[in-house]
């Protein structure tokens, strides 16, 4: 590799120093690394207000739409990944561009669908890992204007439609991975170019990736640059992308996948962090199971799941970026249109409890979630209390008024204090919306809440002790948060030390009887393992049941406990026997369900 490039890749010479052609007549430098918190807050303000956005993965991969020469799908992600999954040579993949003619594309319609779903911004793939640019690019002729019969720039049309309908527009760009190029790295195209030692990554960055990002920023003035898969980028290369964007679009928000610890917000994908993430975060998720259009993927999330995901994420202080994969004709799949419409109906009534809110102060709510604005709490009731009494645990503030958000007349609901730190709101007999009925509480002063979990005794509640809130004493045992692979179960694993144990403290308002379930995964090696669960004074010794694997989770009832109240109690899980070479089990949660009298 040229010495100069070696210095650049070693991060010793910043990329931009060596690219006079790319940076000619540059505007004054904005050093994104020296921004004050107040400046950052001002830049992030609209994004924190918006809370809900549309992700779109659209490219020439929508032509095969998940099928290739009858090949059996060996892995998932065949939509936009089909070139890599089917190891399609560039010379066979490129001709897809000649078949890509989305004559039904209508930017105004796409923006209208997003806006009516309650979304306030959108992010679309300008270039995914297949290397095809969905925008007018001089840096590469492999783009929608030059290489397809369509011959138009849909990004330009979207930018105008978004401006017309007051919705912010962002662009996804994979700045390291590119299966069309011999010099790209990351998860590279090893089927056309197997010898990685011959790849000149700096050349790829200099000749395609950086120039295209600059084209996108100058041509469309994005509100967000959504980078992806930053592997193989050095810190100085990530900094170069960040500086390039903010130099030309100073207010542009950049996600954390610009790489190397940079960027404005975290991007957990396909799962909701149980305790949220400190700082700004955005959960991105598919509406079915693919990002790019896959004609055979009919696993659509129903509106109820989308709405409750949105509420759950926003209750933790995050944004929800929900993905649709448009077809090669340039339209959204009809199922997606229907789901977005239904979500929009809920948002029309309840958007006030989402937009501009911050994380709710009430956690561990067995009946739903909470979001917050100054002087107001929004109670998102998923499970309507059978006796009509909604217990609001831990709330010490004076409640001035309460009403269903959907009630324009704001007819007050009866509010009474159950204790010095628990409030009860008397609800109507039936929910306004079975998915999520929002109750507004006007409170005096800043939220003052006892964070300790309150176990509720009325039948119908499931009091879930998630491991993310446990007090873990662990030398080997440790918490594993959700990840792309697990997606559904966070857990305490690597529990090989019999001295490791965990506990929760909780409150009760009165005496109650509860069935106790433990949710865990257990490998065959765990077959002789034992643990003891204690609740208050009661002990429940239990043998571990093999579930097939540490991440194959099942619920097992370990007993029924009388718990006195009011009072504070402790629940513990301690190993009793751990077979050599095994972990006790991988624990996900303990659930106390009131026994119907
Ligand atoms: O591999 C990509 C995938 O195709 C998709 O673009 C997602 C969206 O966040 N990002 C990568 C997987 O993390």
């Amino acid at each position: 590799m040229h010495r100069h490039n070696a210095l650049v890749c070693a991060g010793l010479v910043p990329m931009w120093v060596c690219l006079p052609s790319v940076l000619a007549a540059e505007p004054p430098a904005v050093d994104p690394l020296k921004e004050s918190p107040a400046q950052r807050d001002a830049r992030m303000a609209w994004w924190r207000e918006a809370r809900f956005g549309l992700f779109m993965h659209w490219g020439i991969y929508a032509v095969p739409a998940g099928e290739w020469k009858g090949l059996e799908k060996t892995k998932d992600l065949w939509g936009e990944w089909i070139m890599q999954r089917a190891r399609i040579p560039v010379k066979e993949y490129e001709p897809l561009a000649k078949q890509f003619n989305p004559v039904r594309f209508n930017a105004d319609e796409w923006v209208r669908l997003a806006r009516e779903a309650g979304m306030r911004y959108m992010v679309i793939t300008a270039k995914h890992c297949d290397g095809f640019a969905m925008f007018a690019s001089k840096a590469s002729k492999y783009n929608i204007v030059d290489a397809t019969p369509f011959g138009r720039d849909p990004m330009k049309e979207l930018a105008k439609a978004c401006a017309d309908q007051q919705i912010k527009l962002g662009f996804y760009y994979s700045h390291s991975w590119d299966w069309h190029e011999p010099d790209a790295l990351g998860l590279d195209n090893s089927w056309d170019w197997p010898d990685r030692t011959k790849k000149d990554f700096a050349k790829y960055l200099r000749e395609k990736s950086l120039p295209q990002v600059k084209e996108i920023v100058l041509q469309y003035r994005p509100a967000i640059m959504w980078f992806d898969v930053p592997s193989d980028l050095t810190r100085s290369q990530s900094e170069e992308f960040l500086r390039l964007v903010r130099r030309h679009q100073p207010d542009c928000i950049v996600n954390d996948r610009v790489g190397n610890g940079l960027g404005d917000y975290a991007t957990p994908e396909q799962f909701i962090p149980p305790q949220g993430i400190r700082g700004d975060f955005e959960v991105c998720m598919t509406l079915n199971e693919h990002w790019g259009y896959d004609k055979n993927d009919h696993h659509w999330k129903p509106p109820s799941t989308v709405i409750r995901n949105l509420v759950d994420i926003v209750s933790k202080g995050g944004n929800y970026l929900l993905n649709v994969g448009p077809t090669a004709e340039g339209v959204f799949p009809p199922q997606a249109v229907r789901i977005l419409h239904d979500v929009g109906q809920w948002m029309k009534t309840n958007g006030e409890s989402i937009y501009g809110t911050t994380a709710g102060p009430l956690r561990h709510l067995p009946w739903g979630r909470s979001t917050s604005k100054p002087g107001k709490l929004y109670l998102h009731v998923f499970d309507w209390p059978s006796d009509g009494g909604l217990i609001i645990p831990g709330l010490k503030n004076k409640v001035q008024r309460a009403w269903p958000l959907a009630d324009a007349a704001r007819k007050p609901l009866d509010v009474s204090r159950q204790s010095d730190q628990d409030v009860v709101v008397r609800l109507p007999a039936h929910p306004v919306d079975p998915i999520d009925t929002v109750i507004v509480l006007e409170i005096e002063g800043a939220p003052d809440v006892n964070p300790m979990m309150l176990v509720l005794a009325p039948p119908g509640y499931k009091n879930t002790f998630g491991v993310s809130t446990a007090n873990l004493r662990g030398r080997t045992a440790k918490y594993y948060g959700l990840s792309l692979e697990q997606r559904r179960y966070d857990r305490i694993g690597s529990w090989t030390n019999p001295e490791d144990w965990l506990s929760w403290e909780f409150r009760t308002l009165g005496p109650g009887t509860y069935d106790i379930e433990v949710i865990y995964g257990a490998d065959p090696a765990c077959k002789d393992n034992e643990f003891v669960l204690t609740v208050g004074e009661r002990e429940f010794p239990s043998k571990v049941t093999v579930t097939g694997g540490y991440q194959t989770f099942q619920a097992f009832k370990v007993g029924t406990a009388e718990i006195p109240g009011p009072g504070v109690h402790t629940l513990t899980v301690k190993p009793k026997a751990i077979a050599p070479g095994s972990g006790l089990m991988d624990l996900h949660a303990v659930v106390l369900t009131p026994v119907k009298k």
Side-chain angles (χ1 to χ4, degrees):
M1 179 187 290
H2 187 283
R3 178 179 176 282
H4 180 78
N5 288 334
L7 287 175
V8 169
C9 284
L12 299 177
V13 173
M15 178 72 67
W16 58 273
V17 171
C18 58
L19 296 175
S21 58
V22 171
L23 306 181
E26 296 300 311
V30 169
D31 188 341
L33 303 182
K34 295 197 175 109
E35 183 178 52
S36 71
Q39 287 171 323
R40 183 169 176 284
D41 286 345
R43 192 163 54 81
M44 294 298 292
W46 73 261
W47 183 90
R48 293 169 181 161
E49 167 76 23
R51 290 293 177 228
F52 191 25
L54 177 66
F55 210 172
M56 287 179 285
H57 280 64
W58 195 36
I60 59 175
Y61 40 76
V63 173
E67 290 182 348
W68 190 260
K69 296 182 178 176
L71 274 182
E72 190 58 34
K73 282 192 179 182
T74 51
K75 282 187 166 182
D76 66 359
L77 266 184
W78 266 63
E80 71 290 355
W81 269 64
I82 194 163
M83 186 179 176
Q84 195 275 347
R85 289 295 191 238
R87 301 176 73 77
I88 304 170
V90 167
K91 65 180 186 311
E92 286 185 36
Y93 188 85
E94 268 184 350
L96 289 174
K98 289 297 171 215
Q99 301 173 52
F100 190 70
N101 189 14
V103 293
R104 294 176 60 195
F105 170 69
N106 178 323
D108 293 324
E109 176 64 4
W110 284 16
V111 176
R112 183 187 66 77
L113 287 170
R115 195 156 181 76
E116 290 187 2
M119 295 158 157
R120 290 294 177 264
Y121 65 105
M122 59 169 57
V123 176
I124 187 166
T125 48
K127 178 193 75 79
H128 205 268
C129 307
D130 65 349
F132 186 77
M134 293 293 286
F135 60 96
S137 172
K138 291 186 172 50
S140 162
K141 287 295 178 199
Y142 191 50
N143 71 70
I144 190 168
V145 175
D146 296 316
T148 73
F150 187 60
R152 287 159 42 191
D153 180 348
M155 303 301 123
K156 184 178 174 188
E157 295 174 31
L158 268 177
K160 181 178 183 312
C162 284
D164 294 347
Q165 299 187 46
Q166 288 86 45
I167 194 167
K168 297 281 189 179
L169 177 61
F171 294 98
Y172 166 113
Y173 192 87
S174 67
H175 51 332
S176 168
W177 297 10
D178 191 321
W179 302 319
H180 185 263
E181 303 297 336
D183 293 318
L185 280 181
L187 181 69
D188 61 341
N189 175 338
S190 56
W191 52 100
D192 285 317
W193 300 288
D195 185 349
R196 275 177 81 97
T197 62
K198 291 187 178 146
K199 296 183 182 223
D200 182 350
F201 190 42
K203 181 170 183 286
Y204 168 70
L205 296 176
R206 185 173 61 250
E207 294 182 358
K208 182 171 181 180
S209 192
L210 281 160
Q212 283 198 328
V213 167
K214 184 175 178 181
E215 286 177 326
I216 290 165
V217 171
L218 292 180
Q219 288 168 196
Y220 315 113
R221 295 291 168 194
I224 298 172
M225 275 307 294
W226 211 98
F227 289 101
D228 200 7
V229 288
S231 57
D232 284 333
L233 285 169
T234 63
R235 164 81 188 205
S236 68
Q237 289 164 341
S238 293
E239 278 189 22
E240 177 46 30
F241 280 98
L242 180 61
R243 292 184 197 284
L244 174 60
V245 171
R246 295 285 303 285
R247 173 186 287 273
H248 293 283
Q249 191 69 349
D251 289 343
C252 189
I253 292 173
V254 177
N255 74 339
D256 65 347
R257 300 191 192 182
V258 64
N260 291 291
L262 299 169
D264 293 308
Y265 64 85
T267 52
E269 174 173 324
Q270 299 284 39
F271 69 88
I272 301 170
Q275 298 306 311
I277 291 181
R278 190 186 303 278
D280 292 304
F281 71 95
E282 172 194 77
V283 173
C284 58
M285 210 179 268
T286 51
L287 189 52
N288 52 11
E289 294 190 337
H290 286 80
W291 301 97
Y293 178 62
D294 185 304
K295 69 181 78 164
N296 300 312
D297 182 347
H298 307 297
H299 303 101
W300 299 97
K301 293 175 179 68
S304 56
T305 299
V306 172
I307 291 165
R308 290 188 177 183
N309 281 348
L310 172 64
V311 169
D312 188 16
I313 294 161
V314 175
S315 78
K316 291 161 177 140
N319 282 22
Y320 192 24
L321 188 64
L322 182 65
N323 182 82
V324 169
T327 70
E329 289 186 301
V331 294
F332 290 4
Q335 301 90 331
V337 173
R338 278 196 295 276
I339 295 164
L340 292 181
H341 171 268
D342 291 355
V343 172
Q345 292 305 106
W346 185 88
M347 286 295 282
K348 275 196 183 74
T349 304
N350 301 289
E352 175 189 329
S353 68
I354 299 292
Y355 301 127
T357 61
T358 51
L362 301 165
R363 297 295 175 100
H364 315 296
L365 293 174
W367 42 258
R369 297 293 183 273
S370 70
T371 55
S372 179
K373 278 180 182 171
K376 277 184 183 166
L377 295 183
Y378 297 94
L379 310 179
H380 295 264
V381 187
F382 298 166
D383 300 319
W384 205 251
S386 53
D387 61 1
L390 185 72
I391 299 173
I392 303 163
L395 184 63
K396 299 176 184 172
N397 298 79
K398 182 176 181 312
V399 177
Q400 290 157 332
R401 202 166 45 139
W403 70 92
L405 180 57
D407 177 6
R410 295 191 175 189
K411 183 169 176 293
L413 298 172
D414 177 63
V415 178
S416 59
R417 195 150 273 289
Q418 185 85 5
S419 75
D420 63 347
Q421 56 187 340
D422 304 295
V423 170
V424 177
V425 177
R426 190 59 48 197
L427 298 181
H430 302 290
V432 171
D433 186 310
I435 295 173
D436 174 8
T437 294
V438 181
I439 304 295
V440 189
L441 288 193
E442 270 181 355
I443 59 171
E444 200 170 81
D448 181 8
V449 172
N450 174 353
M452 185 185 290
M453 181 168 172
L454 175 71
V455 163
L456 298 184
Y461 285 126
K462 281 194 169 296
N463 299 282
T464 301
F465 294 79
V467 289
S468 64
T469 60
N471 178 6
L472 172 63
R473 289 83 167 174
R475 277 187 290 161
T476 66
K478 67 177 202 165
Y479 175 71
Y480 293 87
L482 296 177
S483 69
L484 204 49
E485 291 65 39
Q486 278 96 41
R487 293 191 193 183
R488 292 178 59 216
Y489 292 97
D490 61 335
R491 58 201 166 87
I492 297 284
S494 308
W495 202 338
T496 56
N497 184 326
E499 303 303 312
D500 293 354
W501 61 289
L502 53 86
S503 67
W504 292 268
E505 277 205 318
F506 64 94
R507 295 189 296 125
T508 53
L509 284 175
T513 306
Y514 303 86
D515 285 337
I516 305 167
E517 282 182 309
V518 183
I519 302 172
Y520 61 79
D523 181 87
C526 308
K527 67 181 176 58
D528 298 325
N529 294 351
E530 297 179 46
F531 64 91
V532 177
L533 182 144
T534 61
V535 177
E537 305 306 316
R538 285 287 313 274
E539 286 199 351
F540 296 88
S542 306
K543 279 187 166 303
V544 171
T545 304
V546 172
T547 65
Y550 287 115
Q551 294 178 42
T552 306
F553 293 88
Q554 286 180 11
F556 298 92
K557 182 177 174 185
V558 297
T560 301
E562 302 270 341
I563 304 176
V568 174
H569 317 273
T570 302
L571 187 157
T572 69
V573 179
K574 295 184 178 182
K576 187 175 176 190
I578 302 180
S582 79
L584 176 64
M585 35 117 167
D586 276 22
L587 177 64
H588 171 64
V590 176
V591 181
L592 268 58
T593 306
V595 172
K596 286 189 179 58
K597 288 197 175 33

